[in-house]
């Protein structure tokens, strides 16, 4: 175990950026997973954790064993896991949260799967902006048996602290491809489904293919024209109450659930 | 038209609270609707607007007529609408938004319907905390033909600026009952449906009643025991991908859509 006490420590500075800046993980090549829920989910998924960061309070409460990652083989003696303890106030300085969790895993960016898989059930995110929406869609995707998220350039950073929190652990059950191109979407080799306000069968009556790729578009602009130009099946959501626009995460929930219902 | 130039003006101070504090409308008895989308929706709904607030820029751009509320009968001469112009910087001071819209309607709290209606399709919100979730559910409710939202004590304030923004105008097509009690829920006189993780028919196969009242619970705790003790039908959402918890707004979307699909 190492104790760090200074805000000027290079690792502390890096973690602070990871914990508080949406895109820092891309530059620094590491991901900060904070809090009991995310760390538990990462443990269950057997994620390769290289550093466990605990607050002094958690260390004093003898929580080391509890948070020792499942994926570190051979137990605590094999030296593959760094354990770092920060004074509570220093942990709070690092954390982006109002109530710092006092617990975080640090994971190498290269240890989370990000290779495009063809032929699997996929959700394509076309420039979605809102971290809460993206996180909610990841939860639906995991729950409804989708294997992969393909996020086009311009989508909220999937491993950002906000999307991680909103995703509630769903990240660890999905392949997450970022900064994808239209070529990547074309290469999925499963039928594309795009929601339409005026075209196609109603999602509750449609004969949906499985596996498939649902395309969810930007909160204001919807799916781009270029992406809509790819061969796809339009599907619409019945709105007998009137043509209110739906929030993209709620529209996605309805569509992904309808897919799951075809084989659940 | 009246111009106001001082931040110390009592009306300006009140509007600022309305625009920036979640519960101010309850104390002040007025609701601040800011931005083109909300004002257009309010116009279309024929909402009784008593004050139109414009930024100097919008006034100079001759937008008065465009934003004259549809519900003010007799046109602009009848004196029932106050028009107030604020310097752009003063409007920004009032607004809670990063980019102030320069346009707002002020509505009396008593001019929006808040009486419980029995026998109509309803969504019950049991202490939902997140304004984004509440707004998204309101949009689904309006789209899927529900007539009324009944929010139990502890739910995010429905007419707060954040819920209004997330609701995107759905507020104006619904009866909104706040600070409701369990007695109010029992008085709805329609079948209650509550989602369960382990009990009841799957929502995509269930024979759902219409009208009905869906009960959506607190983000962390779900539906309270007291509410669950009321006679109800449990319904569950198939999650073939695993028992990820769903965000409450996405769960609500699936349920409300399934109801709409019974009669759409």
């Amino acid at each position: 175990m190492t104790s760090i006490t200074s805000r000027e420590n290079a690792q502390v500075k890096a973690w602070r950026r990871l914990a508080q800046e949406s895109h820092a993980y891309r530059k620094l090549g590491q991901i900060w997973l904070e809090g009991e829920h995310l760390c538990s989910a990462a443990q269950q998924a057997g994620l390769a954790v290289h550093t466990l960061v605990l607050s002094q309070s958690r260390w004093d409460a003898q929580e080391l064993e509890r948070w020792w990652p499942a994926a570190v083989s051979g137990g605590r003696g094999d030296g593959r896991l760094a354990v770092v303890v920060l004074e509570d106030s220093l942990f709070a300085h690092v954390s982006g949260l109002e109530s710092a969790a006092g617990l975080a895993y640090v994971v190498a960016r290269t240890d989370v799967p990000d290779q495009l898989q063809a032929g699997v059930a996929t959700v394509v995110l076309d420039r979605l902006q809102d971290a809460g929406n993206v996180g909610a869609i990841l939860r639906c995707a995991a729950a409804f048996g989708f294997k992969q998220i393909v996020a086009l350039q311009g989508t909220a950073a999937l491993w950002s602290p906000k999307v991680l929190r909103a995703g509630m652990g769903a990240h660890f059950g999905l392949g997450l491809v970022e900064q994808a191109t239209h070529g990547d979407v074309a290469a999925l080799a499963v039928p594309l489904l795009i929601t339409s306000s005026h075209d196609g069968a109603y999602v509750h009556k449609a004969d949906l293919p499985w596996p498939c790729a649902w395309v969810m578009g930007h909160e204001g602009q919807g799916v781009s024209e270029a992406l809509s130009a790819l061969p796809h099946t339009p599907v619409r959501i019945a709105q007998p109450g009137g043509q209110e626009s739906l929030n993209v995460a709620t529209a996605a929930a309805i569509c992904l659930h309808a897919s799951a219902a075809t084989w659940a």
Side-chain angles (χ1 to χ4, degrees), chain A:
Chain A
M1 183 275 277
T2 311
S3 278
I4 301 179
T5 55
S6 168
R7 293 189 177 192
E8 300 308 316
N9 177 282
Q11 224 168 6
V12 163
K13 283 182 169 177
W15 292 338
R16 186 164 198 249
R17 290 186 60 197
L18 293 172
Q20 302 195 11
E21 297 174 18
S22 294
H23 294 86
Y25 70 88
R26 291 183 183 160
K27 295 171 207 147
L28 302 178
Q30 303 194 331
I31 297 166
W32 172 265
L33 306 174
E34 181 171 346
E36 300 204 353
H37 192 93
L38 275 182
C39 289
S40 294
Q43 269 197 2
Q44 282 168 30
L47 205 67
V49 176
H50 65 65
T51 306
L52 163 59
V53 186
L54 289 173
S55 65
Q56 188 68 48
S57 297
R58 287 203 188 253
W59 174 263
D60 293 345
Q62 303 193 301
E63 293 197 22
L64 176 61
E65 200 140 347
R66 177 172 172 207
W67 295 110
W68 196 264
V72 179
S73 60
R76 65 171 71 174
D78 76 344
R80 286 177 51 215
L81 179 75
V83 178
V84 180
V85 175
L86 306 180
E87 280 296 340
D88 291 11
S89 60
L90 185 56
F91 197 109
H93 169 75
V94 168
S95 168
L97 303 179
E98 265 184 50
S99 328
L103 163 71
Y105 287 161
V106 187
V107 175
R109 177 80 177 86
T110 49
D111 281 337
V112 296
D114 66 349
Q115 294 303 306
L116 190 86
Q117 299 173 71
V120 305
T122 299
V123 181
V124 177
L125 305 180
D126 180 19
R127 298 163 299 129
L128 264 66
Q129 303 294 298
D130 183 82
N133 284 340
V134 173
I137 292 175
L138 264 61
R139 290 167 73 179
C140 285
F144 297 137
F146 289 77
K147 300 301 178 197
Q148 172 174 256
I149 303 290
V150 172
L152 295 191
Q153 285 187 4
T155 301
L158 299 183
W159 291 98
S160 67
K162 282 187 187 169
V163 175
L164 274 165
R165 278 200 293 285
M168 298 278 285
H171 287 69
F172 310 127
L174 295 163
L176 300 178
V177 182
E178 291 202 289
Q179 298 180 289
T181 64
H182 292 177
D184 291 330
V185 176
L188 286 171
V190 291
L192 285 193
L193 303 173
I194 302 184
T195 54
S196 166
S197 60
H198 58 280
D199 200 13
Y202 288 110
V203 67
H204 66 282
K205 293 179 182 166
D207 190 14
L208 297 171
W210 185 263
C212 66
W214 281 101
V215 184
M216 296 293 151
H218 180 278
E219 284 85 353
Q221 300 156 21
V223 176
S224 72
E225 280 187 36
L227 208 50
S228 303
L230 293 176
H232 71 272
T233 303
V235 183
R236 55 181 148 176
I237 297 173
Q239 298 189 196
Q243 289 304 315
E244 292 289 332
S245 72
L246 294 175
N247 165 285
V248 64
T250 59
I254 291 163
C255 294
L256 273 51
H257 173 259
S259 279
T262 63
W263 60 281

